[in-house]
Amino acid sequence: MNYNDIRKTFLEYFESHGHQIVPSASLIPNDPTLMFTVAGMVPWKGILQGTEPAFAPRVADVQKCIRAGGKHNDLDEVGFDGRHHTFFEMLGNWSFGDYFKADAIKMSWDMLTRVLGLDPARLRVTTHVSDDESAQIWHQVAGKDAIRMGDKDNWWSAGDTGPCGPCTEIFYDFGDAIENEDDRWVEIWNNVFMQYDRDANGNLTPLPRQNVDTGAGLERWAAIMQGCVDNYDTDLFVNLMRATEDVVGVKKTDENTPSFKIIADHLRAVGFAIADGVIPSNTDRGYVIRRILRRAMRHGQILGHRGALLSRLYPALVTEMGGAYPELAREEQRVVEIIQNEENAFADMLQNGIKLLDVEIPRVHNGVLPGDVAFKLFDTYGFPLDLTQMILRDKNITVDTDGFERAMAEQKERSRANTKGTRVLWESQSELPATDDSTKYAPDNNIESKVLAILRDGEFVQSANPGDAVEVALDKTNFYGTQGGQVGDSGDLTRGDAVVMNVAEAARVDNVVIHKGTLVAPLAIGDTVKTVINPNVRQQTARAHTATHLLQAALRHVLNEDVEQRGSKVSPDSVRFDFSFGRAMTAEEKQAVEDLVNQWIRADMPVSHEEMSLDAAKERGAMALFGEKYGDTVKVITAGDVSCELCGGTHVWHTGEIIRARVNKEKSISSGIRRITMSVGTLAE
């Protein structure tokens, strides 16, 4: 069975067992604690932890994942064995309060032995030492005596407290010809049973809704089904490496196999990440993708190749995986352009870095390049340490890696000091309940609220005084907190007829709305205040947000239907809209967009605000934000017959309320991504 057959067989099996089949979520997770989607459970984290409602009792999917940054870092292992990947596919079936241990174990065993036809004698199962129930089920279902393991191997938890439970894993025996036990017995499926809630004292209480979270590596399944020990000997990687041979003009040999593996693996990570909206950069996930891309380029050079590499290989990726992931073909032009720009930048980086090395090499003493010089190459020119080491190896020069790590640590400390914000402090207040902001779409409904927390000068305090700059959390509010590209409301907190606090902006940290501003009167935890938003700012922001929807519709009409949103900022004074497009707009195109938006404004079209199921919104044809994750119930904003989008922001009720729109500037902000700004309302006249 090839990769496409395995995906199809897995999904068809679970669909026949009552599971709703869903497409893979984006590699950009809706989780600020993660750089990438690193596991199949990431898109379902809120449901599994009970903070979001389940949209179906049973779900199955094939989730694309990347592990190449932060604590989830397999990058340095890739290419030198047959198991590690930066990008991989995770098969998963999920029960949200429906079936539990017995059905999960039965289906996994049935799938492996009956559907895939694996020899039961080559399968080994493990359970947690405390999980007698799973051990008994395994004995009944498969006649297997499960190996009992401890917390390290067979216990899952979301943290020190909260949902947790035992897991049962299935291993495949690749044969006694493999001496290393870790390579011989390979985990191919894990069933996690979210059974308990653990409190701060370690006490376990059975959860009222018990969930099943499973994961199985597609690459490992492919190796088994195709009789391979090495994942890279399977059809997908073989075809990608043959395409690499054609591009670099070199055949794969035992000696150069690691470079071929790295290029094939990194092509998948780079191609999928950029298709999902990641732009190579010097920070965060963009930096990780840039590093992966450059590591592939370096191994292309080891093979003797010069010039474009991954951009020329991307069509082969589309051929191999585009059927399962249509976004690869849909985004091909943009992805190739971005990769080409990065490859050109890498060539420039290499040239500049070598110039610096040419200056520093004559100064080297005792055959060791100082660590701060290697770090300068890394920090200024993007040279990975291993690239510097590779270049110097031919000159019998090593690098002071300890000095490099010290310089790296100092830079991280400076960066941490510069970027530490109050968001981290609010995230630490896990005991704060979610803010009831159900009245945020009714700005005139000023409500009485209770003060729950006050942050001043980086510390949470019981009370604060007039003149203090503070951030305040309330139990309920009608302020719209910054979210979805729309800036938050401003206004006042009052007591009686007196203003207590001037609120400059409302922001969101997870599900808590934070009111930022300056106190006019004393304020303490437990006080009751009234929330009064600035109606003029709210009205102008609503104009701007609806105008943003019209702007996107006009861009798609004037340019092409492939234009997709890549970010936005909606504020009272302006609209900033980022979109995918491969060139600068002409003056005529900008004018046409402005004219079309104003035509729709003058038409005074009705704007409807409706809540409906996500499926109903899709049936209506509502546009969704690229890479965004939505719940089962969504808000749909429809402007006449020209725009229909999923959006949780504030909007006008007729387009005529916008008054007027004026396009200001249009420019490039990165490869394949343009930014257009627009004024609305009285500011556009």
Side-chain angles (χ1 to χ4, degrees):
M1 296 177 74
N2 62 29
Y3 277 80
N4 292 325
D5 293 334
I6 296 172
R7 289 191 204 95
K8 184 172 182 288
T9 300
F10 176 84
L11 294 176
E12 287 180 344
Y13 176 84
F14 281 99
E15 186 174 33
S16 71
H17 286 75
H19 291 68
Q20 179 174 325
I21 306 304
V22 296
S24 172
S26 171
L27 285 167
I28 305 174
N30 188 22
D31 184 338
T33 67
L34 295 174
M35 190 171 289
F36 295 101
T37 298
V38 296
M41 66 84 63
V42 171
W44 316 119
K45 186 175 178 181
I47 298 175
L48 295 171
Q49 294 184 350
T51 60
E52 298 177 14
F55 60 90
R58 304 180 176 202
V59 170
D61 63 359
V62 182
Q63 176 62 47
K64 51 194 178 185
C65 304
I66 285 181
R67 290 185 185 174
K71 64 181 179 180
H72 302 287
N73 192 356
D74 290 345
L75 181 58
D76 293 333
E77 304 293 333
V78 173
F80 299 99
D81 63 12
R83 299 273 186 265
H84 282 92
H85 305 280
T86 54
F87 175 94
F88 60 96
E89 298 175 81
M90 185 68 76
L91 307 160
N93 58 285
W94 316 84
S95 167
F96 303 131
D98 187 13
Y99 61 82
F100 203 46
K101 295 180 182 179
D103 286 339
I105 290 173
K106 289 175 184 176
M107 285 188 287
S108 58
W109 186 252
D110 185 49
M111 177 78 208
L112 291 174
T113 58
R114 183 182 65 82
V115 179
L116 297 185
L118 300 188
D119 181 357
R122 302 188 76 164
L123 298 175
R124 173 188 290 178
V125 298
T126 65
T127 61
H128 190 258
V129 289
S130 68
D131 193 4
D132 295 335
E133 181 183 2
S134 290
Q136 184 178 2
I137 294 169
W138 274 118
H139 191 77
Q140 294 171 345
V141 170
K144 292 279 185 183
D145 292 326
I147 300 170
R148 311 297 284 268
M149 308 288 282
D151 289 359
K152 180 181 178 182
D153 297 294
N154 282 78
W155 187 268
W156 177 92
S157 66
D160 294 334
T161 61
C164 60
C167 63
T168 182
E169 297 176 331
I170 306 172
F171 292 79
Y172 182 80
D173 181 8
F174 276 90
D176 55 14
I178 301 175
E179 296 181 2
N180 187 318
E181 284 288 297
D182 291 336
D183 291 333
R184 174 179 174 177
W185 293 95
V186 176
E187 178 195 336
I188 60 171
W189 207 332
N190 186 13
N191 286 279
V192 175
F193 304 125
M194 298 185 183
Q195 187 171 355
Y196 302 105
D197 181 70
R198 181 164 53 195
D199 65 21
N201 295 320
N203 299 313
L204 299 176
T205 304
L207 288 166
R209 280 179 65 90
Q210 297 177 326
N211 302 315
V212 175
D213 157 13
T214 82
L218 176 56
E219 291 78 8
R220 295 182 180 185
W221 280 27
I224 294 170
M225 298 306 296
Q226 296 176 30
C228 306
V229 175
D230 190 320
N231 294 355
Y232 290 89
D233 290 336
T234 55
D235 67 291
L236 170 61
F237 288 99
V238 166
N239 291 337
L240 292 180
M241 287 190 281
R242 284 174 180 163
T244 304
E245 288 180 332
D246 293 339
V247 170
V248 302
V250 174
K251 292 295 183 182
K252 184 168 74 74
T253 65
D254 291 342
E255 290 75 20
N256 64 23
T257 288
S259 291
F260 276 91
K261 287 182 175 181
I262 288 168
I263 292 169
D265 172 272
H266 290 9
L267 170 64
R268 296 207 305 168
V270 170
F272 272 91
I274 296 177
D276 269 8
V278 179
I279 303 298
S281 68
N282 289 326
T283 58
D284 300 325
R285 62 176 66 94
Y287 169 72
V288 174
I289 295 305
R290 174 170 284 171
R291 183 184 176 198
I292 292 173
L293 190 154
R294 290 180 173 180
R295 190 168 186 256
M297 291 289 292
R298 177 173 70 84
H299 280 274
Q301 292 184 337
I302 290 174
L303 295 173
H305 180 70
R306 298 294 182 268
L309 178 61
L310 296 190
S311 60
R312 293 178 61 186
L313 287 171
Y314 186 81
L317 179 64
V318 175
T319 298
E320 294 301 317
M321 303 188 71
Y325 300 98
E327 65 270 23
L328 291 177
R330 186 176 65 243
E331 298 291 325
E332 181 168 4
Q333 181 179 351
R334 184 180 63 86
V335 174
V336 169
E337 180 182 355
I338 291 172
I339 295 176
Q340 286 174 336
N341 290 341
E342 283 295 310
E343 289 171 333
N344 293 335
F346 177 82
D348 293 338
M349 176 211 74
L350 192 63
Q351 183 178 2
N352 292 329
I354 288 175
K355 287 180 180 178
L356 176 62
L357 279 175
D358 288 341
V359 172
E360 294 293 337
I361 286 174
R363 303 174 183 172
V364 167
H365 297 289
N366 301 320
V368 180
L369 183 77
D372 59 344
V373 175
F375 181 74
K376 182 179 179 181
L377 276 166
F378 167 78
D379 194 40
T380 304
Y381 300 112
F383 257 56
L385 176 62
D386 54 356
L387 175 58
T388 301
Q389 291 172 316
M390 181 194 74
I391 293 172
L392 294 177
R393 192 172 297 125
D394 293 338
K395 303 179 184 297
N396 295 318
I397 298 175
T398 61
V399 177
D400 174 15
T401 54
D402 290 340
F404 177 89
E405 294 298 335
R406 283 194 300 272
M408 175 73 82
E410 291 170 0
Q411 173 72 343
K412 287 182 178 179
E413 188 59 37
R414 288 193 297 270
S415 175
R416 189 177 297 114
N418 290 336
T419 59
K420 183 179 180 181
T422 60
R423 181 180 183 88
V424 176
L425 297 172
W426 283 109
E427 287 174 343
S428 70
Q429 302 299 298
S430 57
E431 74 282 0
L432 274 179
T435 307
D436 177 2
D437 63 348
S438 56
T439 59
K440 64 177 177 286
Y441 298 118
D444 296 333
N445 186 17
N446 300 329
I447 56 177
E448 288 195 342
S449 306
K450 183 179 179 180
V451 177
L452 300 183
I454 302 171
L455 181 65
R456 180 188 64 192
D457 296 332
E459 294 184 3
F460 287 96
V461 295
Q462 291 296 310
S463 62
N465 300 311
D468 288 347
V470 295
E471 299 182 5
V472 176
L474 307 172
D475 64 340
K476 52 185 177 292
T477 186
N478 62 339
F479 279 69
Y480 182 95
T482 300
Q483 188 179 23
Q486 177 178 326
V487 301
D489 282 321
S490 60
D492 297 312
L493 302 184
T494 65
R495 186 185 296 120
D497 295 329
V499 174
V500 177
M501 176 180 174
N502 298 134
V503 179
E505 181 189 357
R508 291 187 72 92
V509 178
D510 295 330
N511 293 319
V512 178
V513 178
I514 310 301
H515 304 75
K516 301 181 178 182
T518 305
L519 290 180
V520 178
L523 188 68
I525 291 177
D527 283 357
T528 298
V529 295
K530 183 175 288 187
T531 59
V532 183
I533 72 165
N534 184 320
N536 295 327
V537 172
R538 166 63 75 92
Q539 181 185 43
Q540 180 67 1
T541 305
R543 289 170 177 159
H545 207 151
T546 307
T548 305
H549 287 206
L550 299 182
L551 174 62
Q552 177 166 213
L555 286 168
R556 290 169 63 85
H557 182 84
V558 172
L559 301 179
N560 60 60
E561 288 295 316
D562 294 331
V563 166
E564 288 187 342
Q565 181 177 348
R566 288 294 184 268
S568 67
K569 182 179 181 182
V570 177
S571 60
D573 53 354
S574 69
V575 166
R576 189 184 75 199
F577 187 80
D578 301 339
F579 61 102
S580 57
F581 197 57
R583 60 170 175 81
M585 292 175 64
T586 65
E588 292 76 16
E589 288 170 336
K590 287 187 285 187
Q591 189 61 54
V593 166
E594 180 180 305
D595 291 345
L596 191 52
V597 171
N598 282 306
Q599 176 185 323
W600 291 333
I601 292 172
R602 289 192 299 272
D604 198 24
M605 300 180 297
V607 180
S608 66
H609 310 208
E610 300 174 272
E611 285 194 352
M612 62 185 71
S613 70
L614 181 58
D615 288 340
K618 290 179 178 178
E619 289 177 6
R620 183 177 291 192
M623 291 183 61
L625 179 63
F626 184 89
E628 186 64 54
K629 178 173 170 281
Y630 296 94
D632 188 38
T633 301
V634 295
K635 189 179 178 188
V636 177
I637 304 298
T638 306
D641 59 356
V642 302
S643 174
C644 182
E645 294 190 36
L646 304 184
C647 183
T650 62
H651 290 268
V652 300
W653 293 92
H654 287 84
T655 59
E657 297 173 46
I658 301 171
I659 303 174
R660 176 170 166 69
R662 185 182 73 237
V663 171
N664 297 320
K665 295 181 179 179
E666 188 268 348
K667 65 178 183 179
S668 170
I669 59 170
S670 63
S671 299
I673 306 296
R674 310 293 299 179
R675 171 170 293 169
I676 192 168
T677 58
M678 186 171 71
S679 301
V680 301
T682 57
L683 297 176
E685 293 184 318

